[in-house]
Amino acid sequence: KTRVQMVHTAFNCIQVRTNLPVKVECIEPWGDNRVLIGTGEGILFVGELLEGNVMETPIVHKEFSKKPVQKIVALEDNKLKAQIAKGIAHHFVVEKNENGLFLCVAVKKKLVIHHWDGVNFVEQKELMLPEPAKSIVWCGENVIVAFKKQYSIINLNTRATSDLFPTRSNPLCTALPIPEVLLGKDDVSIFLDLNGRPTRQHGLTWSEAPSAMACSFPYVLALTSKGIEVKAISGVKNNLFQVIGLKALKCLGAKEVKHGDSDPVYVASANTIWKLNAVPIVLQIDQLLSGKEYEEALLLCEYMPADSENKKKKNKSIKLMYAYNVFSQGQFDLAMSTFEELQTDPILVLGLYPNMLPKDMQPKPITYPEYTELSGGALDRALHSLFQYLLRIRSYYIETNRDGFPATDLSEDYSMCEDIATIVDTCLLKALVNSDTKALSELVNKNDNKCHLKESKRILLSHGKENELVALYRTKGKHRDALELLTKSKQTKGLINYLKQLGRKEFSLIQEFSSYPLQTSPFEALEIFTQDRGEDQLPSNQCLTHIKAWAPQLVVNFLKHLVKVQGETSSDIHNELILNLLEMIKNLRGDTSAQRNRSTSQKETGLLGSTRRDLVQLLEESKYYTPEKMLVKFSSQEGLHEERAILLKRIGRHEQALLIYARELKDFKLAEDYCIQTWSTNKEEEQNVFLSLLKIYLQKDEPLMDPALKLLNQHFKRINLPRALELFPKETPVNQLFPVLEAVMRDRNTEKRNEMVAKNLLKSENLEIREELVRSRSIAVHITEDKACAVCGKRLGSNVFAFYPNGITTHYACAKDKYTCPVTGKVFKPTNNLEKAS
């Protein structure tokens, strides 16, 4: 009686023939219900399976071989048989590919390759071996040969041989219906590709080194002393699927079938034959599911017939059960990735967690094939996996629900919510609130978040996440609620940062809530009004009025920002800044003595000096204030002579401005710089500015001879010399004027010499250009009858042509640019002088 030990039943074992009068050596399936049986007596039997699983075994060839038939192969046409008899050949293998049918035979220390010509096998090539082969398997362009202690791979085209790995006993080579082979190494079978490279991290491990092995896809069967061991080719856990406890087995035979086939396998002892019928894949899958072996069930599901209508449905169903199973076992990341792959309804996933879904949407535990109450550390780990899952899927639901309107009203209850996107984001917030503060902050700051406002507020406040609630309010447009929360909690910095994000539309809120930080942290609060908002800038005049009311000490800083940063062009703003700076200077000046009144901004120190320098810079650079109005404010009694001089310059009253520099400030350098900056030949008053300064220096009551002579000596080219000399007193000694007169004469002589040199250089250049023009015009161009255009390739003939300096000749019409060669792109742009000469 057959004893079967099972973890899983892949094959049912049936005895089909016993008490054969011969010694069975090999067995091979042939067709649908026949087998070839080779014996030790050299007899060939053909067994035919009848109804009732009874096999008849008539003798086909009584004298098939004089020696034991140890291997026999039935070819696909059912007419050819290849056999091996001990002493004739050790091993052989048959290969059929696009080039035909081939036979590789190992005879002593060589391999002989034969090709089927339609009638016989014809020898093609012979390869020498270092020792007799123990087993061989065909691998595309290669053959793997098992020797006594080593596996080697031989390329049939190049004859190159490479060693693979050593072995110790009974080496076995087994072909698979996939582009891999199995090589036995003691009690492990190793998967290799057709080039001899390992393809998997783990092989198939047997209870001992097998004596024989065959493949019935998707299983590999091995004969051991325990019986027949059956394993899946791609077992997830490499579990032992089945052991069939038959003893004293000698051989087994199976077709190298493809996916979906289920041909039987035959095994034999010395005089008994058994048939192994494959259990239908669907029944095997159900068997595995009943034992919660989901990974193995998924593996077998892949081997269902490709055209099976239930394959995809079955696969998805098993994966879903697998996901629930690993979730209940605490493998939360794996469960979530599987849920995501299956596009499982997130409501079902969220139902696995407590207090996530609205009460009316919570699935009952009976909904799930496996359900586990989560708590403690398991809940924390499960929530971490959940938020990773929700982060990955939320974009899909956000996109598909883009036209939806999630709850932004604090009065709407979460239990009434049915929007999937809102539920996903709200549950994501719940999952993040205790686990990942950074991810929580990113969520509530997303403008597209769909978090339910009332439920999210409850969760965030209960966990002390006020900042995150403020961010959520902002993304939902609930600015007043956010500002009230910040004000209530006295978060001045947070309040300032929030107000900086609001624009012109929310200016009334900015005015209402900025008063508190303007009083408590005025200089930080100024950033509310100076924040760059692009085209959505706040109204300047209203901001100025508001700042004046709550923090007048910030007015100057705010006006500076408007002018220097925002580039404000309003004359009112510029006038306002000037007047405020003037007021600051008045308050800072504690000493109004005459000496101090005559100081310039550069000589002032401290805050007063920096303020005056700011004012001077503004007066000099700004084009938008009203100088006539400002001049009235700068009375001479206030001692701001430098500032008054700039204002006088702006309105064109140069002589009065120079009078301040020269007589009030006595700063001759400033007076000279003023003239240098102002002088031009466009207007008479600007052209005579040096003469005006000279006139001020030479006033009769107090003439300043030294600065006057220095000015005339350095700038005589810009001064009307006769008029200037008339200004000097008649009693002025000539020796004082001599340096000036000498410099003028020397300059006139130098100018005359330079003009003569320039004239001669231009004359010489003109002669050179004319010579170049004559030389260029003298070049001869020979046009023959066969001369062709370098652009279009047509003959030039008598047509008008163009000739370039690099020797290229084209039709005139083909010369698009007379200065650029159309073939090489070289530019021959002439100089202006050459153009004039031509």
Side-chain angles (χ1 to χ4, degrees), residues 244-275:
I244 303 174
L246 299 176
K247 301 298 183 180
L249 297 176
K250 294 197 64 177
C251 59
L252 76 162
K255 282 189 175 182
E256 295 180 358
V257 296
K258 298 179 180 179
H259 292 240
D261 293 337
S262 57
D263 288 339
V265 178
Y266 292 92
V267 295
S269 63
N271 57 8
T272 304
I273 299 174
W274 291 268
K275 176 186 178 185

Side-chain angles (χ1 to χ4, degrees), residues 72-301:
I72 188 166
V73 175
L75 304 181
E76 291 184 2
D77 59 6
N78 292 336
K79 295 180 181 179
L80 298 175
K81 298 182 289 296
Q83 63 90 26
I84 177 170
K86 189 173 182 181
I88 299 175
H90 284 254
H91 299 280
F92 71 90
V93 63
V94 178
E95 169 76 359
K96 187 174 183 180
N97 54 39
E98 64 275 7
N99 297 319
L101 186 65
F102 295 87
L103 175 66
C104 177
V105 182
V107 182
K108 297 183 179 180
K109 291 186 178 182
K110 61 183 178 180
L111 290 181
V112 183
I113 310 299
H114 299 78
H115 178 254
W116 180 254
D117 64 358
V119 179
N120 295 301
F121 277 108
V122 179
E123 183 176 330
Q124 257 195 346
K125 64 175 67 176
E126 188 177 282
L127 292 84
M128 299 307 296
L129 301 176
E131 60 180 283
K134 293 291 185 180
S135 180
I136 57 175
V137 64
W138 204 298
C139 302
E141 296 181 348
N142 306 303
V143 171
I144 292 180
V145 182
F147 298 110
K148 185 177 181 180
K149 296 183 179 181
Q150 177 73 37
Y151 285 103
S152 298
I153 185 168
I154 303 174
N155 187 287
L156 297 176
N157 297 324
T158 64
R159 301 174 183 260
T161 302
S162 301
D163 293 335
L164 298 178
F165 54 84
T167 184
R168 285 185 288 183
S169 60
N170 193 29
L172 290 176
C173 302
T174 305
L176 301 177
I178 52 179
E180 289 179 292
V181 294
L182 270 177
L183 300 187
K185 183 177 182 182
D186 303 327
D187 61 345
V188 178
S189 294
I190 300 173
F191 290 92
L192 281 75
D193 63 15
L194 300 185
N195 293 312
R197 293 186 294 264
T199 57
R200 309 187 192 188
Q201 188 175 2
H202 302 288
L204 300 179
T205 303
W206 313 100
S207 62
E208 60 185 47
S211 60
M213 204 156 51
C215 175
S216 178
F217 203 83
Y219 298 105
V220 176
L221 298 89
L223 299 187
T224 66
S225 61
K226 293 183 178 181
I228 306 170
E229 298 184 19
V230 182
K231 292 195 174 185
I233 289 178
S234 302
V236 176
K237 297 179 181 178
N238 196 22
N239 284 340
L240 179 65
F241 272 90
Q242 186 177 7
V243 175
I244 303 174
L246 299 176
K247 301 298 183 180
L249 297 176
K250 294 197 64 177
C251 59
L252 76 162
K255 282 189 175 182
E256 295 180 358
V257 296
K258 298 179 180 179
H259 292 240
D261 293 337
S262 57
D263 288 339
V265 178
Y266 292 92
V267 295
S269 63
N271 57 8
T272 304
I273 299 174
W274 291 268
K275 176 186 178 185
L276 304 182
N277 286 322
V279 176
I281 293 283
V282 175
L283 296 181
Q284 293 187 50
I285 292 172
D286 292 340
Q287 183 185 157
L288 290 167
L289 292 178
S290 65
K292 296 186 179 181
E293 299 289 346
Y294 298 109
E295 292 178 272
E296 288 75 10
L298 285 171
L299 170 67
L300 289 186
C301 191

Side-chain angles (χ1 to χ4, degrees), residues 581-589 608 611-612 615:
L581 288 172
L582 178 60
E583 188 65 27
M584 281 185 65
I585 293 170
K586 286 181 180 179
N587 296 332
L588 291 170
R589 290 174 73 91
L608 175 61
T611 305
R612 284 197 65 189
L615 177 58

Side-chain angles (χ1 to χ4, degrees), residues 358-411:
K359 187 175 181 180
D360 294 340
M361 297 188 72
Q362 178 67 42
K364 297 180 180 179
I366 197 173
T367 307
Y368 305 101
E370 296 185 47
Y371 184 82
T372 303
E373 291 284 352
L374 295 172
S375 61
L379 178 58
D380 293 338
R381 291 188 296 106
L383 287 173
H384 183 272
S385 300
L386 177 66
F387 86 70
Q388 296 288 351
Y389 161 75
L390 293 175
L391 282 173
R392 294 193 297 267
I393 70 166
R394 73 177 296 273
S395 58
Y396 168 77
Y397 290 98
I398 295 298
E399 187 65 32
T400 55
N401 290 270
R402 189 164 293 280
D403 297 330
F405 296 94
T408 57
D409 190 345
L410 287 169
S411 63

Side-chain angles (χ1 to χ4, degrees), residues 10 104 129 160 179 192 312 364 467 736 754 833 837:
C104 177
L129 301 176
L192 281 75
K312 289 184 179 180
K364 297 180 180 179
N467 291 336
Q736 290 185 354
N754 290 341
N833 289 331

Side-chain angles (χ1 to χ4, degrees), residues 621-800:
E621 296 178 357
S622 174
K623 301 177 182 178
Y624 305 105
Y625 65 88
T626 311
E628 294 83 1
K629 291 182 179 180
M630 296 299 102
L631 187 60
V632 177
K633 303 292 182 179
F634 287 79
S635 61
S636 59
Q637 287 76 11
E638 291 172 344
L640 301 179
H641 299 294
E642 182 181 3
E643 291 80 350
R644 292 188 71 251
I646 296 172
L647 291 170
L648 290 168
K649 175 184 177 181
R650 180 60 61 88
I651 59 178
R653 292 158 64 175
H654 302 300
E655 191 166 336
Q656 293 183 40
L658 289 171
L659 185 62
I660 291 174
Y661 286 125
R663 293 294 179 175
E664 297 290 341
L665 297 176
K666 297 188 182 301
D667 193 324
F668 308 132
K669 179 67 170 60
L670 278 178
E672 183 181 357
D673 291 342
Y674 181 99
C675 293
I676 293 172
Q677 295 171 11
T678 307
W679 183 86
S680 76
T681 59
N682 297 329
K683 297 180 180 179
E684 184 177 353
E685 59 269 22
E686 294 175 352
Q687 187 176 4
N688 293 327
V689 66
F690 281 98
L691 193 63
S692 298
L693 178 57
L694 193 62
K695 183 178 179 182
I696 293 170
Y697 283 154
L698 297 175
Q699 288 180 355
K700 292 183 179 180
D701 54 344
E702 187 182 353
L704 301 171
M705 295 299 294
D706 289 341
L709 290 170
K710 182 179 178 182
L711 180 72
L712 185 62
N713 189 38
Q714 291 182 352
H715 301 284
F716 61 83
K717 290 184 178 181
R718 302 180 181 181
I719 300 174
N720 187 321
L721 196 57
R723 292 181 59 186
L725 292 175
E726 290 177 359
L727 296 176
F728 280 89
K730 293 181 179 181
E731 60 274 12
T732 303
V734 176
N735 61 344
Q736 290 185 354
L737 295 174
F738 178 77
V740 175
L741 298 174
E742 183 183 22
V744 171
M745 294 302 296
R746 187 182 295 110
D747 179 72
R748 295 289 186 270
N749 290 332
T750 300
E751 184 177 345
K752 184 176 180 180
R753 285 197 301 272
N754 290 341
E755 288 176 354
M756 291 298 296
V757 170
K759 177 180 178 182
N760 291 330
L761 288 174
L762 289 173
K763 183 177 180 180
S764 176
E765 182 181 4
N766 183 266
L767 291 174
E768 290 178 2
I769 295 300
R770 289 183 177 277
E771 182 180 351
E772 182 181 350
L773 180 62
V774 171
R775 187 165 54 252
S776 299
R777 286 176 172 175
S778 65
I779 297 174
V781 181
H782 299 281
I783 305 298
T784 64
E785 292 183 358
D786 298 328
K787 185 78 171 178
C789 173
V791 175
C792 66
K794 296 179 181 179
R795 288 192 308 155
L796 292 171
S798 59
N799 296 315
V800 180

